[in-house]
Amino acid sequence: MAADDRDTTIRRATRAAAIGFAVAIASAIGLVVVYVAGGHTQLEGLFLFAAFAGTTVGLVVWTKVLIAEPDLLEERPPMRSSQEDRAAFEHAYLEAREVRDPDIASRRRFLSRLLAGASASLALALGLPFFSLGAPPGGQLFRTNWERGSRVVDFAGRPVRADMVGPGGVITVFPEGHTGDGQSAALLIGIDFGRIVEGGITAETVPGIVCYSKVCTHAGCPVGLYREEAAELLCPCHQSKFAVYDNARPISGPTTRPLPQLPLGTDDAGFLVALGDFEAPVGPEFWNIQRGGRA
């Protein structure tokens, strides 16, 4: 390649690498601005892609064009010089090269600084998702607001007596003081004890009533449809069905876990009270649901 052509190629490659790094810096800054301003998923993804692409283009051009040197071969008999002579020649060669092309050092410094800026900006942008993780859930996934002695109330906050739940009746209930809490929502169902399968009700309860979590164990939707004849609870979101007389065991649909039962009793005034929290964590599966115990 002629010297003029080589110089032209170097200038173009330098410009291309610089543009790549500049695009990476601008994109990373844009990502930070969009995130701080409230976030926009698609725009953040676009900026992140541009930051990676700009850095990649800059590095590829730099290493393939600016650093790579053409292979030079010369046929000659073996005449290996001493190590001292070789070091002196290398030093002299590098000095001559610097004299011949004084822009090499400045170009390297220029691109090195841009690469450092692109890397720092991209690292900052990649660190942003950590600020969106929030606090760890701790033991919240293992417990609800039900506790021993919690009085059972309806949507209006009125205490519920056992005789208010007739055969086939269904009432959505909450622990007193937490009306409307979706995680604690439960279904009181009036049942016929003669239809209970062997071992089908494991939690302590009062005659004629069973209480299950209202939160579907598939995706967390409210289970609110009760087919009395079939004794099935149905989740309207994904059609999971649960057997009311068999520990709310899933009989169809995507879920694999039964609805947790709430142990029930009555207080001195005859109102229903919880004898503790649900027998198992409510809602969908999570990574350590089988760890046992409640935090």
Side-chain angles (χ1 to χ4, degrees), residues 153-204:
V153 299
D154 61 13
F155 259 117
R158 295 170 300 196
V160 178
R161 299 174 61 93
D163 56 9
M164 296 169 64
V165 188
V170 179
I171 301 177
T172 298
V173 294
F174 305 90
E176 191 171 34
H178 300 280
T179 304
D181 176 21
Q183 192 74 355
S184 302
L187 290 172
L188 279 179
I189 304 174
I191 61 173
D192 177 2
F193 262 49
R195 298 178 62 184
I196 299 176
V197 302
E198 185 176 355
I201 303 294
T202 55
E204 186 175 353

Side-chain angles (χ1 to χ4, degrees), residues 217-259:
T217 50
H218 170 235
C221 298
V223 178
L225 302 179
Y226 178 46
R227 298 177 61 208
E228 182 184 0
E229 291 297 324
E232 294 175 350
L233 283 169
L234 174 66
C235 175
C237 292
H238 304 94
Q239 286 71 54
S240 290
K241 293 181 181 178
F242 304 89
V244 171
Y245 289 96
D246 190 9
N247 284 316
R249 175 180 56 83
I251 51 180
S252 67
T255 189
T256 59
R257 294 180 58 228
L259 297 171

Side-chain angles (χ1 to χ4, degrees), residues 27-235:
S27 300
I29 294 174
L31 174 57
V32 174
V33 171
V34 171
Y35 179 85
V36 172
H40 186 287
T41 304
Q42 288 75 19
L43 200 53
E44 290 172 0
L46 182 61
F47 276 132
L48 185 60
F49 171 79
F52 272 116
T55 304
T56 302
V57 169
L59 285 174
V60 169
V61 172
W62 193 2
T63 55
K64 292 290 186 182
V65 180
L66 300 179
I67 295 179
E69 294 286 350
D71 295 333
L72 299 176
L73 299 177
E74 181 181 0
E75 296 292 339
R76 62 180 182 178
M79 294 185 298
R80 185 177 181 82
S81 303
S82 66
Q83 188 64 32
E84 292 76 11
D85 291 342
R86 295 176 63 191
F89 175 79
E90 182 179 358
H91 180 70
Y93 170 76
L94 292 177
E95 281 190 343
R97 191 160 177 260
E98 293 286 341
V99 171
R100 180 175 60 85
D101 191 353
D103 292 336
I104 291 179
S106 60
R107 183 169 61 241
R108 285 181 176 174
R109 286 195 297 272
F110 173 63
L111 291 181
S112 296
R113 289 168 182 168
L114 278 179
L115 176 59
S119 300
S121 302
L122 186 57
L124 176 63
L126 291 177
L128 289 178
F130 289 99
F131 294 98
S132 300
L133 293 178
Q140 296 179 2
L141 298 177
F142 291 91
R143 61 173 181 264
T144 69
N145 285 312
W146 290 104
E147 57 185 12
R148 187 174 185 83
S150 296
R151 182 170 279 184
V152 177
V153 299
D154 61 13
F155 259 117
R158 295 170 300 196
V160 178
R161 299 174 61 93
D163 56 9
M164 296 169 64
V165 188
V170 179
I171 301 177
T172 298
V173 294
F174 305 90
E176 191 171 34
H178 300 280
T179 304
D181 176 21
Q183 192 74 355
S184 302
L187 290 172
L188 279 179
I189 304 174
I191 61 173
D192 177 2
F193 262 49
R195 298 178 62 184
I196 299 176
V197 302
E198 185 176 355
I201 303 294
T202 55
E204 186 175 353
T205 189
V206 298
I209 295 176
V210 68
C211 188
Y212 293 116
S213 168
K214 192 174 181 177
V215 184
C216 183
T217 50
H218 170 235
C221 298
V223 178
L225 302 179
Y226 178 46
R227 298 177 61 208
E228 182 184 0
E229 291 297 324
E232 294 175 350
L233 283 169
L234 174 66
C235 175

